[in-house]
Amino acid sequence: MKLVVFPGGADPRTTYKDVYTILEDEAKRRAYTEFILKNFPGHYSYDDCSWFSMKETVKIIYSSISELEKKEEFYIVLCRSVGCNPFIEFLKSIPKNVTYLKKVVLWGPSPYYLWYKLLKNDFLGSAGEFIKKGFRVCSELFDEIYPLELSISEISKELPCNIYITSGELDEFYPEHFRQLLMAINTNPKIILAERIRGERHAIDKYNKEYIDLIFE
């Protein structure tokens, strides 16, 4: 088994390193054959000039999944924050030959109105916060983001695995009313809107059994 992580809007190798170290350590403890932490254009550790792009990231996801399938070993995918959006686009047109994908966890996706607030209503403030986290965005990103509220209805019920969507109970970017809305909209038995994890926020950088079990069990 492998764990593959598609991170969010913070550099996974620097500012959010602790968030992923606990996952890597758990993967080793469980004798996973590989822990794969991806990064995208826009992450400082990817290069020194690119901006985050949904289209380019979807391409990276397709390529990554294709390579994983060739190895014929089961794997779990964890997506965090903005990393959920391109992966959902992948799921909407998932190739039929994807058979080793065991589970998908979408952690902390945001409602469409929050993306408007971040990228249109207060772009300068939001861009500054992203930069502090080692991530570059431009205001045009909003035009690339398709609402999760609509996307979940476009995911096939014939997926090879279940998709778990949740976050921490205190995550302001995945509020409870958004979870309730998704529950009301969702008709796909493969999509599970799990309870938010008590006492946790958007980023978990210390061991939490409930969080670990959500991903690895």
Side-chain angles (χ1 to χ4, degrees), residues 140-156:
E140 286 78 11
L141 174 61
F142 180 76
D143 300 323
E144 291 190 66
I145 290 177
Y146 193 72
L148 181 72
E149 297 90 323
L150 299 178
S151 289
I152 63 169
S153 65
E154 299 177 20
I155 295 174
S156 171

Side-chain angles (χ1 to χ4, degrees), residues 75-94:
Y75 57 97
I76 293 169
V77 166
L78 168 66
C79 304
R80 291 197 73 262
S81 191
V82 69
C84 297
N85 295 79
F87 200 83
I88 288 170
E89 294 306 302
F90 165 78
L91 289 173
K92 285 159 60 174
S93 56
I94 187 170

Side-chain angles (χ1 to χ4, degrees), residues 88 91 106 148-159 161-166 174 177-194:
I88 288 170
L91 289 173
L106 303 178
L148 181 72
E149 297 90 323
L150 299 178
S151 289
I152 63 169
S153 65
E154 299 177 20
I155 295 174
S156 171
K157 295 179 181 180
E158 305 301 319
L159 286 174
C161 66
N162 289 334
I163 304 168
Y164 295 83
I165 304 177
T166 191
Y174 182 75
H177 65 258
F178 182 47
R179 189 178 81 90
Q180 294 295 329
L181 173 63
L182 295 179
M183 289 177 67
I185 292 171
N186 181 42
T187 59
N188 191 333
K190 292 292 184 75
I191 299 176
I192 300 166
L193 282 304

Side-chain angles (χ1 to χ4, degrees), residues 5 24 45 66 69 79 90 93 102 133 158 163 174 189 195 203 206-207 210-211:
V5 183
E24 183 176 14
S45 61
S66 177
E69 288 290 320
C79 304
F90 165 78
S93 56
K102 187 77 172 176
K133 295 178 180 179
E158 305 301 319
I163 304 168
Y174 182 75
E195 291 283 346
K206 293 181 176 59
Y207 184 88
E210 191 175 356
Y211 173 65

